[in-house]
């Protein structure tokens, strides 16, 4: 746009991570926002000016220095994260993180579905010794939504829903994601899951009710 703002949209099967990386490269610091559109993730922000290149290098150096001072979290990812939260079912994102597929023993699947699936499941079938449930995720657990920020220095994305007073954090590292969510949520309200995403590997999702300010 003439005022310096831009919008990035995916072309075909462009990974969300690549879209966000490009947005950060061409945008002024802290100006990028993202939301889920009809055809995928949409990133908006303010373009850097050519004269800002020197400033950008300085900012990058400062970011590296700040990143070095960032609190270190034990790296727990993938199947190790699944085991750490004692997750008894396998889960997979569908439809860009709007739906979820849950597989495992019937009792475990149904208990998990009560926490994660909104309304009635869209599918519930027996496949051999395993039970399968598919359905739309409760809004708190959607991977993409309005007002999402990040990733921060620890690779954690943050989203807050003021209407539901819920906070959701996403990332690959279990300890970093849980720490970010714990910092702002009421004790006893958090629920953490690990979901396999076809485009990004294993994603840790932690959500809970926000503390009163």
């Amino acid at each position: 746009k003439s005022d310096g703002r831009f919008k990035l949209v995916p072309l075909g099967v462009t990974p969300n991570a690549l879209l966000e990386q490009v947005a950060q490269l061409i945008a002024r610091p802290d100006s990028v926002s993202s939301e889920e559109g009809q055809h995928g993730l949409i990133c908006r922000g303010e373009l850097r000016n050519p004269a800002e290149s020197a400033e950008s290098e300085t900012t990058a150096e400062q970011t590296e220095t700040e990143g070095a001072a960032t609190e270190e979290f034990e790296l727990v990812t993938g199947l190790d994260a699944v085991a750490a939260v004692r997750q008894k079912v396998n889960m997979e994102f569908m439809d860009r993180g709007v739906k979820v597929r849950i597989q495992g023993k019937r009792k475990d699947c149904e208990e998990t579905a009560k926490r994660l699936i909104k309304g009635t499941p869209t599918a519930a079938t027996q496949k051999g010794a395993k039970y399968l449930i598919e359905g739309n995720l409760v809004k708190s657990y959607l991977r993409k939504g309005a007002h999402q920020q990040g990733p921060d220095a620890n690779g954690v994305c943050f989203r807050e829903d003021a209407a539901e007073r819920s906070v959701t954090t996403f990332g690959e590292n279990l300890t970093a994601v849980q720490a970010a969510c714990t910092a702002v949520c009421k004790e006893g309200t958090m629920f953490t899951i690990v979901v396999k995403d076809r485009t990004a590997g294993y994603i840790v999702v932690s959500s809970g009710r926000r503390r009163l300010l």
Side-chain angles (χ1 to χ4, degrees), residues 39 64 95 98 120 133 141 181:
H39 302 293
E64 290 177 0
D95 295 346
V98 175
T120 305
I133 294 180
Y141 291 97
C181 199

Side-chain angles (χ1 to χ4, degrees), residues 14-35:
T14 304
N16 289 344
L18 177 60
L19 201 71
E20 292 173 335
Q21 185 177 8
V22 172
Q24 294 294 340
L25 285 172
I26 65 174
R28 289 178 174 173
D30 302 321
S31 72
V32 177
S33 63
S34 59
E35 61 184 17

Side-chain angles (χ1 to χ4, degrees), residues 7-210:
K7 178 173 76 172
L8 286 179
V9 296
L11 179 63
V13 291
T14 304
N16 289 344
L18 177 60
L19 201 71
E20 292 173 335
Q21 185 177 8
V22 172
Q24 294 294 340
L25 285 172
I26 65 174
R28 289 178 174 173
D30 302 321
S31 72
V32 177
S33 63
S34 59
E35 61 184 17
E36 190 70 19
Q38 183 178 359
H39 302 293
L41 187 69
I42 297 175
C43 292
R44 291 184 170 86
E46 298 176 8
L47 281 171
R48 297 180 189 268
N49 292 323
E52 291 179 324
S53 57
E55 180 182 342
S56 299
E57 292 175 359
T58 303
T59 302
E61 293 175 358
Q62 291 175 345
T63 302
E64 290 177 0
T65 304
E66 292 171 0
T70 301
E71 183 179 358
E72 292 291 333
F73 295 101
E74 180 185 1
L75 187 61
V76 183
T77 62
L79 294 175
D80 290 334
V82 175
V85 297
R86 298 180 181 179
Q87 191 164 292
K88 297 180 181 179
V89 295
N90 295 320
M91 286 187 279
E92 182 181 0
F93 273 138
M94 303 170 63
D95 295 346
R96 298 180 181 274
V98 175
K99 295 180 66 175
V100 69
R101 173 180 290 155
I102 306 169
Q103 297 183 72
K105 293 182 179 180
R106 179 166 184 166
K107 180 181 179 182
D108 296 330
C109 286
E110 290 177 341
E111 288 180 353
T112 304
K114 288 178 182 177
R115 298 290 299 269
L116 303 182
I117 291 180
K118 182 179 180 180
T120 305
T122 56
T125 58
Q126 190 83 29
K127 288 194 174 183
K130 288 188 177 181
Y131 195 69
L132 180 148
I133 294 180
E134 294 177 0
N136 296 322
L137 280 164
V138 173
K139 189 174 182 181
S140 298
Y141 291 97
L142 296 179
R143 187 184 171 202
K144 293 295 180 184
H147 311 300
Q148 187 159 307
Q149 304 171 25
D152 63 11
N154 296 306
V156 178
C157 293
F158 179 92
R159 189 176 76 242
E160 182 171 8
D161 188 319
E164 297 185 0
R165 295 199 60 79
S166 64
V167 170
T168 305
T169 52
F170 303 89
E172 296 180 5
N173 185 8
L174 173 67
T175 51
V177 170
Q178 284 190 325
C181 199
T182 302
V184 295
C185 286
K186 292 181 180 179
E187 184 177 355
T189 66
M190 277 178 49
F191 184 66
T192 303
I193 59 174
V194 183
V195 190
K196 189 172 184 181
D197 189 306
R198 293 178 183 177
T199 60
Y202 287 95
I203 302 294
V204 179
V205 183
S206 192
S207 184
R209 300 281 289 178
R210 209 189 205 304

